[in-house]
Amino acid sequence: DDLSIAVIISGLYLGARVPLNKSCRIVLGQIYARPEVLALAQKSAREDDVELMGKIAWEALRFHPNAPALMRYAAKEQEIGGNGRKKRRIRAEQTLFVMSQSAKFDSRAVEDHYAFRTDRSMDTYMYFGYGLHTCYGNYVNRIEIPEVLMALFRHTDIRPTGKVENEGPFPNRWAFHKG
C-alpha cells in the first residue's frame, strides 16, 4: 500500500544520509593524513577519474570503517570457523558482534594488509553486505561518496582547520579554509 511504500522510501533516504556524512568525514580524515593519497585524490579529481576516487574512498574506509562492528542475530544454530581455525558453535537466537575492522587487516585474507592500495577488489571490503543482507544504500553510496570527494578535491587549495566536531557518534561540523 502507499503508506508502506512511503515508509520504505523515507527510511532509505534517511538511512543513507547519516552513513554518507560519516563516511565522507572518515575518508577525508584518512586522505588528509596521507600526503601521497591526498596527491592521488587531487589527481583523480583533476582527471575526472571517479572510479579511482571510489577506490581511494573504499581503501580509506578499510583503515577506519564507518561500522567497525556489526550486530547480527542467529536465527538457528550454526557452526563457524574451520579450515585450520577453531570452530565455534553459535546457538539459536544468539546475538553476535562481528568485528569487521579486524577482518580488514587479516593477513590471511588481505594481501599487504597495512599498505594503502587502490587495486583491491570490492570483495575485500564488504561494506555493503552480501546476498540477502546487501545494504539498500549500496548503489547510492557507490556513486555519492566518490562524487562528493571529487567536488572537494577539484579545489586543491582547500584544507581542514581544526578537528571534527561530533554530535554523538556523528560528525556535525568540520571547518575548512581556502588558500
Side-chain angles (χ1 to χ4, degrees), residues 89 134 170:
R89 189 176 125 264
T134 300
F170 305 108

Side-chain angles (χ1 to χ4, degrees), residues 18 21-22 25-26 64 66 164-172:
V18 171
N21 181 353
K22 185 177 177 190
R25 195 273 306 155
I26 290 169
H64 185 162
N66 186 355
V164 176
E165 296 174 21
N166 289 317
E167 189 172 308
F170 305 108
N172 186 43

Side-chain angles (χ1 to χ4, degrees), residues 82-146:
N83 294 330
R85 298 180 185 140
K86 187 174 181 178
K87 290 184 179 185
R88 301 272 184 201
R89 189 176 125 264
I90 307 300
R91 295 183 313 273
E93 300 181 11
Q94 184 175 354
T95 300
L96 307 166
F97 286 92
V98 181
M99 307 308 291
S100 61
Q101 184 169 13
S102 62
K104 291 170 179 34
F105 289 92
D106 184 340
S107 62
R108 296 169 294 188
V110 181
E111 183 182 325
D112 202 11
H113 56 286
Y114 288 119
F116 192 105
R117 293 178 34 184
T118 58
D119 62 345
R120 299 187 197 279
S121 161
M122 278 301 283
D123 294 342
T124 303
Y125 307 119
M126 282 197 61
Y127 295 128
F128 304 111
Y130 180 75
L132 293 175
H133 299 284
T134 300
C135 174
Y136 278 167
N138 177 20
Y139 303 105
V140 173
N141 286 314
R142 282 190 192 213
I143 294 169
E144 277 189 326
I145 291 173

Side-chain angles (χ1 to χ4, degrees), residues 11-36:
L12 174 60
Y13 176 76
L14 294 172
R17 299 292 50 116
V18 171
L20 172 67
N21 181 353
K22 185 177 177 190
S23 293
C24 286
R25 195 273 306 155
I26 290 169
V27 170
L28 288 171
Q30 291 293 311
I31 290 172
Y32 281 113
R34 295 175 163 81
E36 71 284 358

Side-chain angles (χ1 to χ4, degrees), residues 34-98:
R34 295 175 163 81
E36 71 284 358
V37 178
L38 175 59
L40 186 61
Q42 291 170 335
K43 177 181 182 277
S44 171
R46 266 193 323 275
E47 296 176 1
D48 205 30
D49 190 343
V50 179
E51 183 179 347
L52 176 58
M53 189 65 79
K55 290 178 178 185
I56 292 168
W58 312 138
E59 184 68 358
L61 286 167
R62 187 174 70 84
F63 282 84
H64 185 162
N66 186 355
L70 303 169
M71 188 170 71
R72 293 292 182 252
Y73 173 79
K76 62 181 183 177
E77 187 169 312
Q78 305 275 335
E79 188 173 271
I80 60 173
N83 294 330
R85 298 180 185 140
K86 187 174 181 178
K87 290 184 179 185
R88 301 272 184 201
R89 189 176 125 264
I90 307 300
R91 295 183 313 273
E93 300 181 11
Q94 184 175 354
T95 300
L96 307 166
F97 286 92
V98 181

